[in-house]
């Protein structure tokens, strides 16, 4: 049985995979869900800011809550990470794009959009790195098992 060696202790490869999958699907998924809920709920609860920005936040927040909810319920793939990352990028640039179109964007909305966008981009990148590390570990284990059978 292959083991994953960290600087703390040797962990069996299956447990390392379960840990990475739980971190990927559950922990990062909950952070993404909280960020999308903030986009969807906060502007409606406060009735603060421009309506154009609130509509943008409500639409993106609702889409993200659906995608991230499925991610938490079913587990995720790189596709959900890409969708979340693209939505995060949109939230980073949307206050400026809406501002260029002479749409009214309140400073509170701008701060919320940029903060949530940064969280979404960061968590999607971390999530993609975890998927990559898990695939590399699985490939290394497969190569190790093949060498053992030869």
């Amino acid at each position: 049985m292959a083991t994953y060696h960290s600087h703390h202790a040797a962990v069996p490869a299956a447990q390392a995979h379960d840990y990475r999958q739980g971190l990927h699907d559950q922990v990062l998924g909950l952070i993404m869900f909280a960020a999308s809920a903030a986009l969807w709920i906060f502007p409606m609860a406060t009735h603060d800011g421009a309506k154009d920005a609130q509509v943008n936040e409500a639409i993106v927040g609702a889409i993200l809550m659906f995608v991230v909810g499925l991610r938490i319920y079913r587990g995720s793939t790189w596709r959900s990470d890409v969708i979340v990352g693209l939505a995060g990028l949109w939230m980073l640039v949307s206050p400026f794009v809406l501002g260029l179109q002479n749409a009214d964007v309140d400073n509170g909305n701008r701060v919320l959009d940029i903060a949530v966008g940064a969280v979404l981009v960061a968590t999607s990148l971390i999530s993609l790195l975890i998927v990559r590390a898990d695939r590399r570990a699985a490939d290394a284990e497969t190569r190790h098992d093949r060498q053992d059978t030869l």
Side-chain angles (χ1 to χ4, degrees), residues 77-130:
T77 63
W78 62 271
R79 289 179 202 98
S80 67
D81 295 333
V82 169
I83 291 169
V84 170
L86 290 174
L89 286 174
W90 169 247
M91 293 313 299
L92 285 171
V93 300
S94 68
F96 307 105
V97 172
L98 292 174
L100 289 175
Q101 296 175 352
N102 294 326
D104 192 23
V105 178
D106 187 68
N107 283 338
N109 291 97
R110 184 175 291 127
V111 169
L112 175 70
D113 292 351
I114 291 172
V116 169
V119 167
L120 292 172
V121 168
T123 53
S124 66
L125 287 175
I126 292 168
S127 185
L128 285 169
L129 289 173
I130 291 171

